[in-house]
Each structure stands twice: as C-alpha cells, then as structure tokens.
Amino acid sequence: MKTMLIASAFSVAALSWGTAAYADAGHSHGAAKGKQEAHADAMGKPGKAENVSRTMEVDMNDAMRFNPAEIHVKRGETVKFVVKNSGKVKHEMVLGSMKELKAHAEMMRKMPEMEHADENMVSVDPGKTGEMIWQFTKAGKFDFACLQPGHFEAGMKGKVAVK
C-alpha cells in the first residue's frame, strides 16, 4: 500500500510538471527557453528602466479587482507598472494571453505554494508595492490577471489595448 501511494504521488508530480511546462510558457516553471521567447514575442518583451516612457499605477484589492482594469498603450511604448496591493492577501499581476492565464490559474489551484519570478509578472504581499517594466512591441489586445488560487475565477483580470 505504501509503495502504491509513493508511486501515485510520483505520477501526479510528473504529470503536473509536464502540464506546467506546456500550460505556462510565459513563466519559468520548467518551460523551455524557446517557449518563453515565443510567449514574449506574442505581446512584447521585458522593458529596460532607461526606456520607460510612462509609469502606470495599478491597484489590486481583496474585492478581486484591478484598478484600472483596462490599460491603453502605444505600440513600442515601454511602461513601468507600479503595482500596489491594498488588500490583506497576496495578489499578483501577470501579463499573458487568456489561454495561458486560464491554464496557469488551473495549475495554481493544484499547486498554490508555487512562487513566480518572471519578467511578465509581479507578485505583491499585502500592503506592499511591486514594479514590472514591459515593452509592448505588438499591436493588439492582451490580458493580465491575478493567478493566486481563486482570484482569477473571482474576476481578477484586465485588458491591455496596444495601438
């Protein structure tokens, strides 16, 4: 029985890792470098502080909302996001496609202790402020969300319109 439990746990861990690498191409949870670059190409790339053309303040709160929830930028613009967590629980702002965000939110429900440290996201403890710099090189509509377990499902998401 003990051997069966250990084998089952190993199988679940192996499957979860494979799902993380596939579903989370924009994060470094085992994703191949080529996949990370493809994700960045879809909406832009990490920006450099010396190229910041605008600073945008974003508030995250325990009503599971971003303020503002819709952001407009110009193609080629490098934006410094100053992200404040005015709530009492941890929140994060993750840039990505809706497909990637949904898949990653599902993974976060299964592995809530997972930590993030990628350039397309900022994770902020209660009462704290974080920063993210992003250059939007492609025109289009992109998404952002909080992927802490249950937050995405509660509606904590927004849009970035790049013209």
Side-chain angles (χ1 to χ4, degrees):
M1 179 67 134
K2 186 175 180 181
T3 304
M4 186 176 230
L5 286 173
I6 292 170
S8 295
F10 179 78
S11 296
V12 169
L15 286 172
S16 295
W17 180 83
T19 302
Y22 171 77
D24 197 22
H27 293 74
S28 62
H29 311 289
K33 183 174 179 167
K35 287 186 178 182
Q36 287 176 330
E37 289 170 357
H39 168 75
D41 286 346
M43 65 180 166
K45 61 184 181 180
K48 296 179 181 172
E50 62 268 18
N51 297 333
V52 170
S53 56
R54 180 164 49 133
T55 297
M56 181 91 192
E57 293 185 9
V58 177
D59 182 67
M60 303 181 293
N61 60 59
D62 293 346
M64 302 303 157
R65 297 294 181 257
F66 288 96
N67 185 25
E70 190 168 319
I71 298 169
H72 297 271
V73 299
K74 295 177 186 172
R75 184 175 173 224
E77 189 172 18
T78 299
V79 178
K80 176 180 178 180
F81 293 99
V82 177
V83 185
K84 180 181 181 190
N85 181 347
S86 61
K88 296 189 183 325
V89 298
K90 187 175 188 175
H91 292 294
E92 61 189 14
M93 180 179 178
V94 181
L95 295 169
S97 71
M98 187 53 66
K99 181 179 178 181
E100 290 166 330
L101 294 171
K102 284 180 181 178
H104 192 174
E106 175 66 27
M107 188 172 47
M108 287 294 290
R109 280 194 303 279
K110 293 176 183 174
M111 297 182 283
E113 71 287 343
M114 185 178 359
E115 291 293 325
H116 302 103
D118 298 303
E119 294 173 310
N120 66 320
M121 65 81 51
V122 60
S123 184
V124 186
D125 288 327
K128 304 288 183 184
T129 301
E131 295 181 357
M132 170 176 50
I133 299 176
W134 196 262
Q135 182 182 16
F136 294 91
T137 60
K138 308 283 183 174
K141 293 200 177 195
F142 304 103
D143 300 286
F144 61 92
C146 179
L147 302 180
Q148 290 296 309
H151 296 200
F152 178 83
E153 296 78 8
M156 196 165 184
K157 46 193 154 192
K159 296 269 185 204
V160 178
V162 183
K163 292 186 180 189

